[in-house]
Amino acid sequence: MTQYDYDLFVIGAGSGGVRAARLTALGGKKVAIAEEYRVGGTCVIRGCVPKKFMVMASEVSHALEIAEGYGWSFEGAKFAWPTFLQAKDVEIARLSGIYAANLGKAGVDLVHGRAVLKDAHTVEIVGKNQTITAEKILIATGGRPWKPDSVPGIEHAITSEEAFHLPELPKRILIAGGGYIAVEFAGIFAGLGVETTLIYRGPNILRGFDDDVRAHLAGEIEKRGIKVILGCQHTSIEKTETGLINHLENGMAIETDVVMFATGRVPYVQDLGLEAAGVELNDDGAIKVNRFSKTTADNIWAIGDVTDRMNLTPVAIREGVAFHETVFKDNPQSFDYEAVATAVFSQPPVGTVGLTEHEARQACSGGVDVYVTRFRPMKYAFTGSDERVLMKLVVDADSQRVVGCHIVGPDSPEMIQLAAIAVKAGLTKAQWDATCAVHPTMAEELVTLKEKQAPTSMAAG
Ligand code: NDP
């Protein structure tokens, strides 16, 4: 029998790769993991975690406005971008260190360098003259931001990766895109006092989300001072002595200091040596896998964003666990992508789980019951703010199961985690209603919604 250096070699030390490597090493196997940048991957180093710190820093300005309504005053309150950046970077370094330490404690060998497949069992560590063999290989290299090269001047635009390290806070920013990253960063910069414009090519932001959520959020972020331009794209970006001029299809020319493109992410498969190992890509350029995350090569699996299934950190982690159970514990498991809750950390944020109204109308043959409420949160009572919360339940009319829950408003990411348990469990509207309210909270509205609403969002989701 062939002797390999390792039982498992993992390429990419992000959320999914690290979880799979640790579990497998703790199970007694010989495991190595390669990372070309910093341990922790997109989530920890240039995604969810630093983004959430930026959101929290940014939200303070709104909290101060609310506080003034309650009688507080903060004359001369100021935000220092360099102080924030330094504190954030210290914390990210600490978290990355914990990830690396945990790998060590589990007995995983950490290889600093870029691993490239030479064949189905061999990787080369670029520039290190090192070749490593493994019986099984797991690819967890994640994704990379993508910008449309067709826009003249696109080289002047940054992506989210640079947004985490801007040398100074711009006075004016324009963000292109209408997905998670675009709306999250628009909120961050607007909250930090940056004059912010969001431009999106479609009819409304957050395509794929419930239409009421999309309309509500677009209105709320405008109340927070973000200028939203819909149905429009760049024709070019021009660098001048005073800034960057965004030339748009509608004839507008908007000058800003920074232009950020948040136009999606693509699987990071470049120069990985996939062909040499017999690993095929699908039509969208992601690694082709079956439901057990196995690639077209018999001993190679892939998880997380590189497979472009559901690009969320907790999903990559679950895919890593399922891989470990299937491959090393003889317990075939595949992740269940139904009713995965997700949050958009816009300001206000969005929490959502299950089907949109549009999806439910297609899926539920007996029709759907829709319950919607919009109200001003108690917290804003003294501020004169006209911000509103949206809560929406989508119910399968026949079974009366709540198949979708959508919230726009403060703390909605926290609420949706718990609502997701009920949606995932398939509880009925009557069971939600039998749950006694917690008063006075916003979340109590979820168990006190009585009036069915005539359908409001029939447009394609
Ligand atoms: P998304 O896929 O969410 O959004 C990309 C946006 O860019 C869409 O609005 C899309 O428009 C637009 N777009 C695409 N191509 C072009 C183009 N050529 N010109 C103009 N606009 C274009 O990607 P993100 O980059 O926002 O995020 C990537 C993924 O990362 C998310 O899908 C999500 O899975 C994950 N993520 C999750 C977060 C969370 O959980 N909170 C936070 C951040 C990221 P259209 O809709 O018309 O296609």
Side-chain angles (χ1 to χ4, degrees):
M1 211 175 102
T2 318
Q3 279 294 313
Y4 297 106
D5 298 327
Y6 288 97
D7 298 311
L8 173 68
F9 192 91
V10 181
I11 308 179
S15 304
V18 165
R19 180 60 60 94
R22 287 179 57 215
L23 285 177
T24 307
L26 289 168
K29 297 292 180 189
K30 200 166 176 225
V31 181
I33 189 165
E35 174 55 52
E36 66 175 350
Y37 187 52
R38 294 170 69 190
V39 175
T42 299
C43 172
V44 177
I45 307 297
R46 40 196 176 189
C48 324
V49 176
K51 180 272 310 285
K52 186 92 188 262
F53 283 130
M54 288 174 86
V55 170
M56 290 189 286
S58 161
E59 282 173 339
V60 173
S61 61
H62 193 238
L64 292 180
E65 281 169 27
I66 297 167
E68 281 174 355
Y70 283 85
W72 291 86
S73 59
F74 302 90
E75 271 131 45
K78 274 196 300 209
F79 173 70
W81 175 250
T83 310
F84 167 72
L85 276 195
Q86 197 198 3
K88 173 198 58 105
D89 289 344
V90 166
E91 179 61 10
I92 299 304
R94 188 183 75 84
L95 294 173
S96 179
I98 290 174
Y99 266 66
N102 285 345
L103 283 168
K105 278 186 213 152
V108 178
D109 288 342
L110 177 58
V111 180
H112 290 283
R114 177 172 173 72
V116 171
L117 290 157
K118 289 287 136 189
D119 62 42
H121 290 281
T122 312
V123 296
E124 183 185 305
I125 310 302
V126 176
K128 292 201 171 168
N129 201 18
Q130 188 183 4
T131 299
I132 298 170
T133 60
E135 185 185 355
K136 297 181 170 71
I137 291 175
L138 177 67
I139 303 172
T141 48
R144 285 289 176 273
W146 175 86
K147 297 188 283 191
D149 290 335
S150 53
V151 176
I154 191 72
E155 66 278 10
H156 302 304
I158 63 164
T159 67
S160 57
E161 304 217 332
E162 297 88 51
F164 291 119
H165 302 285
L166 287 175
E168 59 189 40
L169 195 60
K171 290 202 167 37
R172 305 160 297 175
I173 192 167
L174 182 141
I175 300 177
Y180 281 84
I181 296 180
V183 297
E184 290 183 342
F185 274 88
I188 288 168
F189 285 113
L192 293 177
V194 179
E195 191 184 314
T196 304
T197 306
L198 181 71
I199 133 168
Y200 172 53
R201 65 182 178 181
N204 211 344
I205 54 173
L206 291 184
R207 184 166 63 85
F209 284 68
D210 186 273
D211 288 331
D212 282 334
V213 167
R214 300 170 69 190
H216 190 87
L217 184 68
E220 292 299 310
I221 67 174
E222 282 188 312
K223 288 180 193 166
R224 298 265 185 122
I226 297 170
K227 184 173 179 191
V228 181
I229 301 176
L230 298 172
C232 192
Q233 301 194 68
H234 277 88
T235 50
S236 66
I237 301 167
E238 180 193 352
K239 191 170 167 51
T240 65
E241 277 180 11
T242 50
L244 297 166
I245 302 182
N246 297 272
H247 295 282
L248 307 182
E249 276 174 351
N250 63 4
M252 287 173 89
I254 302 174
E255 188 181 62
T256 57
D257 307 303
V258 172
V259 182
M260 173 174 160
F261 268 63
T263 41
R265 295 174 58 86
V266 290
Y268 187 40
V269 292
Q270 202 186 334
D271 302 328
L272 250 186
L274 297 180
E275 228 170 84
V279 175
E280 290 174 17
L281 299 180
N282 64 23
D283 292 342
D284 297 324
I287 294 183
K288 206 192 272 183
V289 285
N290 68 12
R291 69 190 188 95
F292 297 109
S293 295
K294 190 172 184 171
T295 71
T296 46
D298 235 13
N299 68 309
I300 302 182
W301 288 257
I303 56 168
D305 290 6
V306 76
T307 62
D308 197 21
R309 285 174 285 183
M310 191 179 272
N311 300 332
L312 299 170
T313 295
V315 171
I317 291 171
R318 291 295 182 102
E319 288 170 352
V321 174
F323 155 78
H324 167 74
E325 289 287 327
T326 304
V327 176
F328 290 100
K329 292 183 79 178
D330 199 19
N331 175 27
Q333 272 190 18
S334 56
F335 178 67
D336 173 9
Y337 297 89
E338 291 277 306
V340 173
T342 176
V344 184
F345 292 94
S346 43
Q347 296 179 42
V350 176
T352 178
V353 62
L355 303 182
T356 66
E357 181 183 341
H358 176 76
E359 288 167 342
R361 288 194 183 283
Q362 291 182 323
C364 303
S365 53
V368 297
D369 297 338
V370 175
Y371 299 81
V372 182
T373 179
R374 293 177 180 83
F375 58 94
R376 185 172 71 173
M378 191 178 170
K379 197 177 195 174
Y380 299 158
F382 299 167
T383 66
S385 156
D386 64 346
E387 289 182 43
R388 292 283 182 278
V389 168
L390 169 83
M391 290 188 178
K392 177 169 180 176
L393 292 183
V394 181
V395 179
D396 175 2
D398 278 350
S399 67
Q400 280 301 299
R401 283 153 76 134
V402 176
V403 292
C405 175
H406 310 277
I407 310 172
V408 184
D411 299 326
S412 56
E414 303 293 338
M415 286 185 238
I416 208 68
Q417 178 66 85
L418 302 179
I421 299 171
V423 173
K424 185 82 183 162
L427 300 189
T428 62
K429 177 72 168 61
Q431 287 170 308
W432 283 59
D433 293 349
T435 307
C436 190
V438 178
H439 185 72
T441 64
M442 284 182 284
E444 68 182 304
E445 296 288 329
L446 292 173
V447 294
T448 56
L449 283 166
K450 294 282 177 277
E451 298 291 320
K452 274 184 221 172
Q453 182 162 304
T456 52
S457 55
M458 296 292 289

